[in-house]
Amino acid sequence: MQQMRDFKDFTLITPEGRITVAAHGGRAKCLQRLVRLGVPVPRTVALSFDEVLRIAEGHRPDTARLLAAFGRAPLVSVRPSSGDPDWGGPGAVLNIGMCDARADSLAETLGREAADALYLRFVMAYAEDVAHLDPEPFEQAAELGGGEAVRAALAAYEDETEQPFPQDPARQLAEVLRSMARAWETTSARLLRQARGAPADAGLGLVVQAMALGMGPGESGSGVIRMVDVVTGQRQVSGRYLRQSMGRDALGRSEEAIYLAQDERGPSLESEQPGIFDQLTEIAERCRARLREEMEIEFTVVDGALSVIDAVRVPRSARADVRIAVTLAEEGIITPDDAVLRVPPRALTELLHPQVDPAAPRDVLLKGMAASPGAAVGKLVFSSEAAQTAASQGEPCILARRETTPEDIRGMHAANAVITERGGMTSHAAVIARGLGLPAIVGATGLRLDPRRRRAITASGRVLSEGDVVTVDGSTGEALKGAAPMLEPGLDGPFRKLLAWADARRDIGVRANADTPADARMAQDFAAEGIGLCRTEHMFFEPARLTVMREMIFTDNSTDRAAALERLLPMQRADFVELFEIMAGKPVCIRLFDPPLHEFLPSDREGLRGLAEALDLPLSDVTHRVEALSEFNPMLGLRGVRLGVTLPEIYDMQARAIFEATVEASRRAGAAVVPEIMIPLVSAKREVELVRGRIDSVAVAVKTETGQEFDYRLGVMVETPRAALRSGEIAQHSAFLSFGTNDLTQMTYGLSRDDAGRFMGTYVSQEVFPEDPFHTLDRDGVGELLLLGAERGRRTRPDVVLSVCGEHGGDPDTIAFCREAGFDYVSCSPFRVPIARLAAAHLALRARESVGAGAADDGLED
Amino acid sequence: MQQMRDFKDFTLITPEGRITVAAHGGRAKCLQRLVRLGVPVPRTVALSFDEVLRIAEGHRPDTARLLAAFGRAPLVSVRPSSGDPDWGGPGAVLNIGMCDARADSLAETLGREAADALYLRFVMAYAEDVAHLDPEPFEQAAELGGGEAVRAALAAYEDETEQPFPQDPARQLAEVLRSMARAWETTSARLLRQARGAPADAGLGLVVQAMALGMGPGESGSGVIRMVDVVTGQRQVSGRYLRQSMGRDALGRSEEAIYLAQDERGPSLESEQPGIFDQLTEIAERCRARLREEMEIEFTVVDGALSVIDAVRVPRSARADVRIAVTLAEEGIITPDDAVLRVPPRALTELLHPQVDPAAPRDVLLKGMAASPGAAVGKLVFSSEAAQTAASQGEPCILARRETTPEDIRGMHAANAVITERGGMTSHAAVIARGLGLPAIVGATGLRLDPRRRRAITASGRVLSEGDVVTVDGSTGEALKGAAPMLEPGLDGPFRKLLAWADARRDIGVRANADTPADARMAQDFAAEGIGLCRTEHMFFEPARLTVMREMIFTDNSTDRAAALERLLPMQRADFVELFEIMAGKPVCIRLFDPPLHEFLPSDREGLRGLAEALDLPLSDVTHRVEALSEFNPMLGLRGVRLGVTLPEIYDMQARAIFEATVEASRRAGAAVVPEIMIPLVSAKREVELVRGRIDSVAVAVKTETGQEFDYRLGVMVETPRAALRSGEIAQHSAFLSFGTNDLTQMTYGLSRDDAGRFMGTYVSQEVFPEDPFHTLDRDGVGELLLLGAERGRRTRPDVVLSVCGEHGGDPDTIAFCREAGFDYVSCSPFRVPIARLAAAHLALRARESVGAGAADDGLED
C-alpha cells in the first residue's frame, strides 16, 4: 500500500508521514504518535482540512481508491479531527461498507444474528446522520429484531428517499464524508465553536480507519482504559470492557460491561484476561509517558488480539486536573512550568468550595445570579437575628433577604449561604459573600420575600417557610429543595504544591482583602503576601460597639465625640493586635473608616425606638437626627476622608489604635511591625495633608507615651476619577497608591454597583458593555485612569507602591493589566488569592516564552 | 515753594509733577488730575509707597520741613492713597497741628467754642488712632463740653501715656505718618486686602493736605456733590452741605445738613448760595468729563471760597453702574468697549431680581445658604399642593420643604420663593430655583419643619405657621418676618444696550437651559442664542401626564408600554411645537428623558394607595413594585441612556414627538426647524449607536408618513468621566458634545451635589477645596476631563460642536475656560444668560488688549 503515501488527497498514517495538528487536526496527529510509539493501531488514513473543505464545497473524492487502501471489502469508520476537541464536530460513523453482500459474508464468520445487528446499526446511523431522515420508522423497524428488522429498515429507507439503500461501499463512504464536511460548515456549528474560542477559519480533518469489530469468535470486545481516576486525579486503572461490542459501547452500556482492573464490585478484564490486561496497561503507561498526558484509550480485542482505535485527553474535574499536572511533573514527565500552565486559574474556584454533586438529581426552587461560588445546605431564615440564633445552636442556615446592608454582616457571618431578592453581581450581598467565601444567589428572579410572615413565594408559586431545608448552589445560581449530596473542597497537597510552583514563577505580588481575624487566617492559609485592604468599619457592628458608635454619632461636640471614641479605642487596638499577630510580620494595610454614619443607625420604627431609649432622648429627636443624616446618594456622600476631615476624632482614634497595637504586637513578636494606613475616597491633595498632619501627631504622641519607636506608611486609596487625575500631587504625601477599582468603576461610569443589576444583563447581552465592568476591568476607561494615575504618581515619587484592591484584584485579566502597568501587587478576597497567584504565574511564564504553551496544553507534539 | 519739588521724600502735587498710581496711589493721582483741571485743591503733598514703607520700617521723616511747605502754623490732614480704594487702609486724620497755642490763635478768628471743638476733636482722634488709647476716658471728657472738655482730654492723655499731649505739630505729624504706615503693614490688614484682590506687595501712599476748615465767618461749611443718583444712576445733582463743618461731616450728620440741588424736602445750597452751587456743578461736570467717571467730590467753603478736598468714584448700586457706564459711552466720554468692561458680570445678578431694600429694618427669622438670588414676599406654605392652591387664588406664597424632589416642581412653579431645611448649593431645590429665577434659601440652619402640623420651629425657637407672611432674601440667605420693602429689577434700556454692546464683542456663544415655554420666553427676553439644554422630564409632572407615566412604568411588555407612551405623544409634540415657535428658528437642543422612573412614583402610603386605585391593582403589588424600582444611589442608577437602551419605547416616543413637531413648526413658520437631540448619561459608544439607530428609523418613518423632509442633529451629553475619556469614539456618532458639568463634577469627585451641602462649608473654609466645585469649575480635575474630551472628540470629528451646559455655564471663570479651550457655546439658566453674555465680552475684549483695562476701570489716567 506504499502508493497511498503518494496520494495527493489522502495520507496514510505511518510513523514517517507528514501529519500535523495544523493541517489534519488533533486526532490524526495523536493517532500518528500512537503509531510511532508502536501501538497496534488499525490502518488509518487522514483527510486534511483542505481536502475536507473541498468536499464540503462539492468536490467528490475518489472513495473507491481510498477504500482500496484498506484491502478487499473492508469496513471502515470515519471520525472528526479538528484543532481542538472542545470545538465540537460531527459524530463518528462506524461500519461503512455494510451492505447485503457484506452482511451475508459476515454471517459466515460472526453468525447471522451479529451480521444482521451490524447491518441494522449501519442503516440506522446512515439514515439519520447522513440522509437526515426521520428516525421513527427505523426505530419501529428495529423493534422487529433479526433479519426482519434489517429488511424493514431497508424498506423504510427506500420509502423515505425513493432510492434503494446504497449498496456500493465507495458511494456510502463518499456520502458520509460529504455529510460530515458539510456539517462543519453550517452557521450554527460555526457560531458554537467560535463561542468556544475557535478561530473563524478553524478547519476539520477526518480520519478513516479500518474497523476492528470486537465481535466474533474467541475473546472479542471493546473498551476504554485510563490510568487515572477522573474525579480525584489519583493514579489508578479505570475504564470498562464489553465483550462482543465495538466503539464506545462499553461506556454506553456500562451495566453490561466489566471493570478493567481487579475490582470487588464485579468481574474484571485483569482477572479474566490478564495477558490482554497487561498488554493494555503497558500501552497506556507508554502513551502517558510519551504523550505527557493522562489519556483515555479506546481499544478493541479481536479474537484475543489488541488494537488501539483512538486516544483522547482524559476529561477531568478541576481537582483531578491539578493532581494530574502535579503528578506528571513530580514524575519528571512534564516540567513544573508546564504543570503550572496546564491548570486554568479560574478552574481553581471549583476546588475552593464544596460543590453540589453533579450526578445528583436537582429540584430547582429558584434561580438568580451565581454571585459567589460553592454550595451549602441549611435551614431557611429571613433575618440576621434568626441566622445568628441558628448558628448559636450549631444549625446550618441559609439567610434570605430582599437585599443585605452592613447591618446584616453578622447574619451573613452566621449563615452558610445567602439568597437575595434584589441586587446584582456587585451588590453588597454579592461582594461580602465572595469575601466571606459564602455561596450566594442574588437578584433571584421572581422571588417575593415576606419577612414578617417568615415565608417567601418563588416565581413558580412555591411557598418556602422559615426552617425549610434548602441547598444553595452558588456556582449555578440555583437553590434546590432539601439537602443535595455534596463534594468537599480539594485544598490538598497537589493544590499547595502547584501554587508553590506558581509563586516561584510569578513577578507581581498577591495580597488578600481581609477585615476580620477569620479572613486574615484564610489569607494566611492561602499564602497571601499580606493584607492589601483591611476595612475597619465592619469592626463596629458588634452589638457592644454599635451602641457606642451610635452614641458617638449623636454627640454634638468634639469633646463628647472623643470621649465616645475613647471607649472604642481598646476594642480597635485589640482588633489590630490580633491581625498583626495572625499575619506574623507580613504587611497589613488598614483602610481608615469609610462608610457614611447613617449606615450605623436603624431605619425602622422599632430600631429608632430602641435607640431613643438607649440614648435617653425623645423619639422625635432621634428620628429627626436619623433622617437628617440620611443621604440621597450615600455612595457619593459624607464618607471616607470627608468624615476624616469633618469629624477628625474618628481617624485620631483609629490611628492611635493602630499605633498602640503596633507597639504591642512588635513587643510580643520581638520584631518590628510596620503598619500601612490607607485614606479612602480622596479627591484632593489637601485632604491627605490634613489627615496626614493629624496621624503624624498621634504617632508622635504614642511614641512619647510608650517610649517605643516604630515606622508606618501612609497612603491613599485612589477610587475617585479626580484622585487618579491628581495622583501626581497626591503622591507627594503617599507612600503607596492603591486603586479601589470598585468605586473607581462606579464613578467613571456613573454607575452604582448596587443598582446596575437591574440592567447589566441587558447591557452585556446587547454588547453595550463587552463585559460587566465590575467583573472585568474596563481597560479603555477605568484602565486609562489607572495608567494615568500610576504614571503621574511615579513621576512625583518613583518608589511609590502601586496596587489594585477590590473585586477586580482577583481577576486574571486585571492582573495581566496591572502586571503590564508595573504595579507592585494586587489584593483580592482571600478565596480568590489562589486564582490570582496562579494567574500571575501564567502571565510571567507566557511573558518569558520559555515554554511552548501549545505543546504543553495538548501534549500532542513530539 | 518751588523747592518742594526737589525734595526727595515728598512731592508737592502740581500739574507738572511726576505722580503715578503705581508709585503714589490712586488718591494722589486723582488730586493731581484735579489740579491739572484747574480745580481749587488746597496745597497737597504726596508721600510715595517707598517713602511710607521706609517710615513703617523706622525711618523718621523730616516733618518740620514738610510742614514748612504749608506756610506758617498750618493745620493739615493725612489721607491714605493705595492702588485701589477697595483694598482698605487707615482712616484719614484731620487737624494735625492743633495745640494749645493754635487753639488760642484760632479762637481769635473762629471763636473760642469752635477752637475748643477742633482741639478736642484732634486730641480724641490722636489718642485713639495714633496713640491707640482706650477711648472711654476721652468720651467722658467730651461730655463736659467747651474748654473743660479740652482740659480733661489733655489730662486723660497725660494719665494714660505719662506724657503731655504733644504740642509740636512736626512731632504730631511724624507720629500720624508712622501710625498710618504701620497700620498698613499689620498681618490682619495684609490678609484683608489680599482677600480683596490686592497683590502681596501692594503699597500705601499718603497725601498730606492743608486743612480747609469750613468753619468761621461768612459762608463756611463742607459737603459732597455727585452728578448722579447712586441708586438709579440717573443724572441728577445729589449730595449734602453742612455749614460750620469739615471733612465728611455733611454725610455723617445728614439730619443737620441741607441738600445741594433745589429739593422740596428742605433747604438747599442751590437756592441759598446759587453762586457757589454753580461753581461747584461746573467743577463736577468738568471732573466727570475729564476723569471719564461719575465722581463724589468732597468740598469745603471757607468764607464763600470753594476748595475741593478730594474726589472718589461714586459708590453705586449695580443698576446705577450699568446706567452710568452706558450714559458715559452714549455721551462719548468713554467708548462702548470701556462701558462693557466697567460693569462686572456678576453684578448683573442684582439687576435681574427684586431686592430687599437695603435701607429697611430686618427681623431675621432664619438663615441658610443663599442658594438663588432675589427676594420675594408671600405666605408660608408647607406643601406643593398648598403652593398651587395659593397661586390659583393669586396669593403669593413661600414654599418651605425639608427638601424638594421632582414632584415638587409644580409647587415650585407656583411659589414665589423656596426655603428648604436640608440640601446644599446644588441640591434639587437650589438648582431648580436658580433655573426658575426663584429666590431660595437651602439648608436653613436649625430649622425644623413639621409639615403635618403645618408649622416650623426656627433655630431660635420661633414658631412659624402656614399663612404667616415672610420675606425671603435669596441674596443673603435670610428669611425676614413680614413683608420687607422691595426694590424692583432693572432690565431697562441701559441694561439692554450694554448687553447689545457685549454681544457685538464676544466670541463664544451663550444659550439658555430652558425646560418650559416660560423658560424659553425668558431665554428669548435675555437674548440667548438658543436653548442649549431642554430637559424633557419636567414635562411629565402635570397630573394628567403623571398618571399616564405611571401606567407606562407599570406595564410589563413593550406593546403595553408603547400604547401608554402613545397617549403622551401628542402632549410632547405640543410641548416641542410651542418651544420651536417661541425660539423662532434659534437652535433648540432637547435632551432625551433622563431621570430614574421611581421619581415618578409616590413614596408615601397615601400616594401608594391612590396609585393602586388608579391602576386597579392590589396595594401590595404596587408597593412591592415601587420598592423594587427604588435605588440605593439614584444618581448612578437606571436612568438616562440606560433607560433608552433597556426601555427603548420611551425614546422612540420622544423622537417621534420631536420630529412631528419639527414638521409642524416648520410648516407654520415657513422655514426649516432643525432640532438637536441630546442623549444623556452616555458611558459607552455602543449606547449612542443603539439609540441613534432607533432615532434614525423614527425619522425615516415620520418623513415617510408626513411626506416632509427635515434635518436634525444628534449629540451626546458628556457627563460621566468615561464619556469624556472615550469621546474620540463617541464623536463618531455625535454632531455635538455638550459637557454636563454638574454630573461630571459629581462623578469626578465622587460627590453628590445633594449631599455635599453637609460638609462643603467646612471643606471650603479649610481650603480642602479652593471653591465649591459645583459653583466654580474645577479646572484641575473636571477641567482636564473637558479638555481631554474636547481634544479627542475633535480629533475624530474636527467640526464637532462643543459646549458646556449646566450650572457652570453661567460662571465667568468657566466661560473663560471654555473660551480658551475653543468651545462653541455655553448654556446656563436663563437668569444667568446676561451675566454670561457680559462675561464673554469681557474675555474677548481683554484678549484683544485693545483697551487698557486699568485705565478703563479707575478712570484716573489722563
Side-chain angles (χ1 to χ4, degrees), chain A residues 2-41:
Chain A
Q2 192 59 27
Q3 76 268 32
M4 275 300 289
R5 285 201 216 148
D6 308 324
F7 277 20
K8 185 183 153 203
D9 307 327
F10 320 124
T11 309
L12 181 66
I13 295 182
T14 62
E16 301 78 26
R18 188 170 151 65
I19 301 284
T20 65
V21 174
H24 301 88
R27 174 168 269 126
K29 184 65 197 174
C30 182
L31 287 168
Q32 184 185 40
R33 298 184 72 204
L34 294 176
V35 170
R36 285 182 183 163
L37 294 178
V39 173
V41 177

Side-chain angles (χ1 to χ4, degrees), chain A residues 611-684:
Chain A
L611 182 55
E613 218 170 80
L615 297 174
D616 196 17
L617 286 172
L619 178 60
S620 64
D621 270 26
V622 169
T623 307
H624 192 268
R625 192 86 163 244
V626 168
E627 280 175 13
L629 279 170
S630 78
E631 295 184 299
F632 298 96
N633 294 286
M635 173 61 47
L636 309 176
L638 179 50
R639 63 181 192 94
V641 70
R642 294 163 193 165
L643 279 173
V645 168
T646 52
L647 301 175
E649 300 83 7
I650 301 176
Y651 282 9
D652 286 354
M653 181 279 282
Q654 290 200 297
R656 176 168 282 275
I658 292 168
F659 293 137
E660 290 180 357
T662 299
V663 170
E664 189 171 334
S666 300
R667 271 188 198 146
R668 285 197 206 170
V673 168
V674 181
E676 297 175 0
I677 301 177
M678 181 152 72
I679 310 173
L681 206 69
V682 165
S683 64

Side-chain angles (χ1 to χ4, degrees), chain A residues 311-656:
Chain A
V312 296
R313 187 174 171 276
V314 166
R316 62 196 75 175
S317 69
R319 187 178 316 212
D321 201 20
V322 171
R323 184 178 286 274
I324 289 169
V326 170
T327 307
L328 289 174
E330 283 176 334
E331 292 181 19
I333 294 171
I334 61 175
T335 65
D337 283 0
D338 286 335
V340 166
L341 282 171
R342 282 201 183 178
V343 179
R346 286 191 178 91
L348 294 188
T349 310
E350 205 182 308
L351 277 77
L352 298 171
H353 303 281
Q355 299 288 311
V356 175
D357 186 340
R362 301 169 77 87
D363 180 0
V364 176
L365 292 171
L366 58 90
K367 190 151 172 51
M369 276 172 270
S372 178
V377 176
K379 290 189 171 177
L380 209 54
V381 294
F382 295 103
S383 69
S384 284
E385 293 69 34
Q388 287 172 256
T389 307
S392 68
Q393 294 163 358
E395 288 221 56
C397 67
I398 309 294
L399 175 62
R401 302 281 290 154
R402 288 223 174 122
E403 67 221 3
T404 65
T405 67
E407 284 190 299
D408 290 314
I409 288 278
R410 292 178 59 78
M412 292 180 75
H413 269 281
N416 296 60
V418 178
I419 300 171
T420 68
E421 188 185 315
R422 298 173 54 182
M425 288 301 286
T426 50
S427 62
H428 179 267
V431 172
I432 298 297
R434 283 196 290 272
L436 296 173
L438 214 57
I441 302 170
V442 300
T445 315
L447 181 68
R448 292 177 59 167
L449 289 183
D450 188 350
R452 280 201 207 142
R453 297 166 67 186
R454 300 187 174 187
R455 56 177 222 171
I457 300 170
T458 69
S460 59
R462 291 166 80 168
V463 177
L464 305 175
S465 302
E466 191 149 291
D468 286 0
V469 172
V470 296
T471 301
V472 167
D473 187 341
S475 307
T476 62
E478 289 172 340
L480 312 176
K481 190 172 159 67
M486 296 288 195
L487 300 178
E488 284 310 302
L491 311 183
D492 47 13
F495 172 85
R496 294 184 191 280
K497 174 152 268 175
L498 187 81
L499 285 173
W501 287 340
D503 286 346
R505 281 152 183 85
R506 68 187 158 84
D507 50 15
I508 182 168
V510 177
R511 293 197 194 178
N513 299 345
D515 305 339
T516 63
D519 290 347
R521 279 187 206 101
M522 200 181 297
Q524 275 290 55
D525 191 37
F526 286 154
E529 286 162 67
I531 294 178
L533 174 61
C534 171
R535 285 164 292 219
T536 48
E537 49 270 20
H538 298 155
M539 298 172 177
F540 297 106
F541 280 102
E542 282 180 27
R545 301 184 182 193
L546 190 54
T547 306
V548 184
M549 268 303 281
R550 289 172 170 177
E551 281 176 29
M552 189 277 287
I553 293 168
F554 272 73
T555 56
D556 282 321
N557 59 64
S558 175
T559 317
D560 292 356
R561 201 173 300 126
L565 286 161
E566 183 75 23
R567 293 168 56 199
L568 291 170
L569 175 66
M571 310 181 197
Q572 275 265 283
R573 185 174 51 222
D575 293 333
F576 295 135
V577 169
E578 192 174 1
L579 279 181
F580 291 148
E581 292 199 326
I582 293 168
M583 295 311 291
K586 287 183 183 171
V588 176
C589 183
I590 298 164
R591 180 176 77 179
L592 296 173
F593 192 85
D594 183 60
L597 294 180
H598 54 75
E599 284 198 1
F600 294 90
L601 299 176
S603 53
D604 58 332
R605 193 162 280 273
E606 217 165 308
L608 288 168
R609 212 172 282 135
L611 182 55
E613 218 170 80
L615 297 174
D616 196 17
L617 286 172
L619 178 60
S620 64
D621 270 26
V622 169
T623 307
H624 192 268
R625 192 86 163 244
V626 168
E627 280 175 13
L629 279 170
S630 78
E631 295 184 299
F632 298 96
N633 294 286
M635 173 61 47
L636 309 176
L638 179 50
R639 63 181 192 94
V641 70
R642 294 163 193 165
L643 279 173
V645 168
T646 52
L647 301 175
E649 300 83 7
I650 301 176
Y651 282 9
D652 286 354
M653 181 279 282
Q654 290 200 297
R656 176 168 282 275

